[in-house]
Amino acid sequence: MANTISDETIEYVGILAKLELSDEEKENAKKDMESMLDYIDKLNELDTTGVEPMSHVFPVQNVFREDVVENGDGSSATLANAPESRDNAFVVPVTVEA
């Protein structure tokens, strides 16, 4: 293992994650983090020349529709159904006293 994680790093990560780890859990976390970093180093050894970066493993294109207003402003029709309105807004009973 080329990568070593210090006890201080494990303590710091535990604080950030708001975890209380036992000594055994800290040792296991150190081993896990070291093996993850070793694997990343191994992946970095691969020749990726000519390989385009991707944001998704599947060939997904933008599936969203264009954001086009089709029915316009229906506020007057909506306010027509209100029991009471004023200044282009609904009038509702007071629920919180200041």
Side-chain angles (χ1 to χ4, degrees):
M1 285 189 177
N3 293 295
T4 56
I5 304 294
S6 67
D7 292 334
E8 292 81 22
T9 301
I10 292 296
E11 287 288 332
Y12 184 64
V13 170
I15 290 169
L16 290 176
K18 298 187 186 310
L19 296 174
E20 292 183 24
L21 301 173
S22 67
D23 290 339
E24 181 181 341
E25 290 171 325
K26 288 177 187 176
E27 284 302 314
N28 289 337
K30 271 175 62 169
K31 289 177 189 172
D32 288 344
M33 290 176 81
E34 289 170 353
S35 66
M36 284 185 254
L37 292 174
D38 287 340
Y39 186 71
I40 290 170
D41 286 344
K42 188 173 187 174
L43 289 176
N44 285 333
E45 293 173 5
L46 294 172
D47 181 19
T48 57
T49 307
V51 178
E52 288 188 38
M54 59 182 173
S55 62
H56 201 283
V57 294
F58 298 111
V60 176
Q61 301 298 322
N62 186 356
V63 295
F64 299 110
R65 64 172 170 77
E66 287 294 319
D67 191 14
V68 178
V69 177
E70 294 178 359
N71 60 355
D73 181 22
S75 61
S76 58
T78 303
L79 285 173
N81 294 319
E84 187 178 350
S85 64
R86 183 176 351 134
D87 299 327
N88 207 23
F90 292 101
V91 175
V92 295
V94 175
T95 57
V96 178
E97 295 293 330

